């Protein structure tokens, strides 16, 4: 199961799968020894990818905790300000598949370096955006650049690390995602409280610069990568095959709907907490994102839930937990709101872990592309949730945002119920007719 993260789904690279969008020549067996704990280069590689994860997700969600301040500064609504988050995640969603294919032609290390470099350079321009339009445009470019990192990092690890050490290495990278997403929000909250939101974005930019420099000097050269020639027709065929698989499509939809709830709640919660009756300062609002740590527990527990309840049973439990959290958050007591956020976070990460891991098990060919499509759906859900949640809040307050979340949860329930009926029908069809 993937650990809790801020949106980075684990990409499973299947080098042997047919219908690959890239034609490669297999490297000679044992040509280069792979990395593992205790061997030269492993610690540097782990620290490099941890730093890359911190930088990427600190940048990706850097404006989320600052939306009330951005709204006030530019004189725009919550819905308009939310585009500073949605534009970044939406651009990432659209670019993750083509950039993951390009990494197979030009190299994982090169793609990660280019992605971080462009994203960091844009990050240094973001604090100086003269208008909300410029800020949204810069954030979209930043999100598109960051799309080259997740899939390339997972592929790099799969090629350079011994299989028995791969899960630990991926876990450290995803931990960097989680810490970057959480610490970026907390850092911006406290810096904004003291010096304003532009200074807060500059602080995240400097953090990302430091991480990018560390990545550049620490990441070992790829020794087991074999470049291939791009094959757009094969890529299109693989994507069409995945989109023609009803189970995969249902899993993509479930991931998008769960992320719609999560994106809506965490985009809007800052507006609610700085207003009456809470009137919390910006630093405290940013610290609310410590609740993300709950996701580490629920994501790790998802495997046990599936073992006991089955995939659909685990999804029903995740939905129930998320629903309970949404309803609790309607109360005007801070304790109830915080408990609601804990339940929403736990339910979301459990549901996301179940859906994302099921994609890899379901796809029999082109698993890297199947996981990339899940990432696209996931981040599109984040983008839609952030924008629609803010629009709903502007129109009807927190209750309207919660209603949007409940509607998305209902969508997950409907899809899961439909999947249950389909599975039962398939089982009946396999049972020989008896007289």
């Amino acid at each position: 199961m993937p650990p809790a993260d801020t949106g980075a789904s684990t990409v499973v690279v299947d080098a042997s799968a047919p219908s690959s969008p890239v034609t490669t020549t297999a490297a000679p067996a044992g040509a280069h020894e792979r990395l593992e704990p205790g061997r030269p280069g492993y610690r540097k590689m782990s620290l490099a990818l941890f730093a890359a994860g911190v930088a990427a997700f600190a940048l990706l969600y850097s404006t989320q905790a600052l939306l009330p301040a951005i709204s006030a500064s530019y004189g725009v609504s919550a819905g308009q300000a939310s585009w500073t988050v949605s534009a970044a995640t939406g651009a990432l969603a659209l670019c993750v598949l083509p950039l993951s294919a390009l990494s197979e032609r030009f190299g994982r290390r090169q793609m990660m370096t280019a992605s971080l470099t462009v994203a960091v350079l844009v990050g240094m321009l973001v604090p100086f955006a003269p208008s909300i339009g410029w800020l949204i445009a810069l954030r979209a470019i930043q999100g598109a650049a960051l799309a080259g990192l997740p899939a390339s990092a997972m592929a790099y690890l799969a090629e350079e690390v011994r299989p028995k050490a791969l899960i630990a290495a991926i876990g450290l990278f995803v931990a960097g995602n989680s810490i970057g997403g959480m610490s970026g929000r907390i850092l911006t909250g406290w810096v904004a409280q003291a010096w304003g939101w532009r200074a807060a974005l500059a602080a995240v930019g400097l953090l990302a610069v430091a991480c990018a420099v560390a990545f550049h000097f620490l990441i070992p050269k790829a020794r087991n990568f074999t470049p291939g020639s791009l094959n757009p027709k094969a890529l299109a065929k693989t994507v069409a095959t995945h989109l023609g698989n009803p189970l995969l499509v249902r899993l993509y939809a479930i991931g998008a709907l769960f992320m719609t709830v999560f994106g809506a709640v965490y985009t809007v919660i800052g507006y609610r907490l700085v207003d009456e009756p809470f009137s919390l300062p910006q630093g405290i609002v940013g610290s609310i994102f410590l609740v993300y740590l709950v996701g580490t527990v629920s994501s790790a527990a998802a495997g046990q839930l599936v073992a006991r309840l089955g995939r659909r049973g685990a999804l029903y439990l995740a939905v129930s937990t998320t629903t309970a959290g949404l309803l609790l958050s309607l109360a005007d007591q801070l304790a109830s709101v915080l408990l609601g956020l804990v339940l929403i976070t736990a339910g979301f990460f459990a549901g996301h872990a179940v859906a994302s891991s099921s994609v890899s098990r379901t796809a029999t060919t082109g698993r890297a592309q199947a996981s990339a499509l899940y990432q696209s759906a996931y981040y599109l859900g984040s983008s839609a949730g952030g924008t629609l949640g803010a629009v709903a809040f502007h129109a009807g307050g927190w209750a309207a945002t919660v209603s949007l979340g409940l509607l998305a949860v209902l969508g997950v329930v409907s899809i899961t119920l439909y999947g249950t009926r389909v599975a039962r029908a398939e089982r009946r069809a396999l049972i020989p007719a008896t007289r």
Side-chain angles (χ1 to χ4, degrees):
M1 285 298 159
D5 60 309
T6 58
S9 304
T10 300
V11 177
V12 177
V13 180
D14 182 16
S16 64
S19 300
S20 173
V22 177
T23 303
T24 61
T25 302
H32 296 289
E33 195 165 1
R34 298 194 177 198
L35 300 171
E36 64 177 330
R39 292 192 176 275
Y42 181 86
R43 182 181 294 274
K44 284 188 175 182
M45 178 274 299
S46 299
L47 291 174
L49 289 178
F50 179 84
V54 170
F57 286 87
L59 289 172
L60 184 62
Y61 290 100
S62 59
T63 62
Q64 192 171 57
L66 303 173
L67 293 179
I70 291 172
S71 288
S73 177
Y74 289 125
V76 297
S77 68
Q80 291 172 294
S82 72
W83 276 103
T84 64
V85 179
S86 298
T89 54
L92 190 154
L94 294 175
C95 295
V96 65
L97 185 62
L99 289 187
S100 67
L102 285 176
S103 78
E104 298 192 48
R105 173 63 181 88
F106 298 105
R108 323 298 188 188
R109 187 171 180 266
Q110 289 80 356
M111 178 59 69
M112 289 188 288
T113 300
S115 291
L116 271 181
T117 301
V118 174
V120 166
L121 290 175
V122 175
M124 299 309 295
L125 297 175
V126 164
F128 304 101
S131 67
I132 188 67
W134 272 105
L135 182 57
I136 292 170
L138 288 171
R139 292 282 293 147
I141 296 170
Q142 201 170 45
L146 289 171
L149 186 66
S152 299
M154 297 300 177
Y156 175 90
L157 289 170
E159 293 162 353
E160 304 299 325
V161 176
R162 283 186 179 275
K164 66 178 182 180
L166 184 58
I167 293 177
I170 289 177
L172 191 58
F173 172 66
V174 176
N177 298 171
S178 180
I179 291 173
M182 182 181 67
S183 62
R185 292 164 168 99
I186 295 172
L187 174 65
T188 55
W190 286 106
V191 173
Q193 183 174 316
W195 296 289
W197 68 269
R198 292 183 187 274
L201 291 179
V204 171
L206 291 174
L207 171 65
V209 168
C211 289
V213 170
F215 172 83
H216 175 75
F217 285 106
L218 290 172
I219 190 72
K221 290 183 179 180
R223 300 187 302 169
N224 296 298
F225 170 74
T226 302
S229 58
L230 290 173
N231 189 337
K233 288 184 178 180
L235 176 62
K237 182 179 179 181
T238 301
V239 170
T241 298
H242 292 328
L243 294 179
N245 183 323
L247 178 53
L248 281 177
V249 171
R250 291 199 296 271
L251 291 171
Y252 297 153
I254 287 171
L257 288 169
F258 265 122
M259 194 54 173
T260 298
V261 180
F262 199 66
V265 166
Y266 277 97
T267 296
V268 174
I269 191 63
Y271 288 98
R272 187 175 189 215
L273 294 179
V274 298
D275 285 342
E276 297 289 343
F278 307 109
S279 302
L280 297 181
Q282 186 69 56
I284 298 297
V285 171
S287 297
I288 294 296
F289 289 94
L290 282 168
V291 173
Y292 266 44
L293 294 175
V294 174
T296 303
V297 178
S298 66
S299 181
Q304 296 177 351
L305 290 176
V306 172
R308 292 185 178 183
L309 306 174
R311 183 171 58 196
R312 283 179 288 274
L315 286 174
Y316 287 133
L317 181 59
V319 162
S320 300
T321 305
T322 304
T323 301
L326 287 168
L327 295 176
L328 262 178
S329 71
L330 288 169
D332 285 336
Q333 288 78 37
L334 184 59
S336 293
V337 174
L338 293 179
L339 180 57
L341 288 176
V342 166
L343 293 177
I344 291 167
T345 304
F348 160 73
F349 274 111
H352 164 49
V354 173
S356 61
S357 62
S358 297
V359 168
S360 299
R361 290 170 47 199
T362 301
T364 56
T365 62
R367 288 176 178 167
Q369 288 71 46
S371 293
L373 285 171
Y374 179 85
Q375 286 189 51
S376 295
Y378 177 86
Y379 283 112
L380 284 174
S382 175
S383 182
T387 299
L388 294 176
V391 170
F393 181 79
H394 182 71
W398 181 251
T401 301
V402 168
S403 296
L404 172 68
L406 292 173
L407 187 62
V409 164
L410 180 61
V412 175
V413 172
S414 300
I415 292 170
T416 308
L417 284 172
Y418 176 77
T420 301
R421 286 200 314 181
V422 169
R424 287 174 179 171
E426 289 175 347
R427 283 197 297 268
R428 285 196 297 267
L430 292 174
I431 299 175
T434 56
R435 296 181 181 179

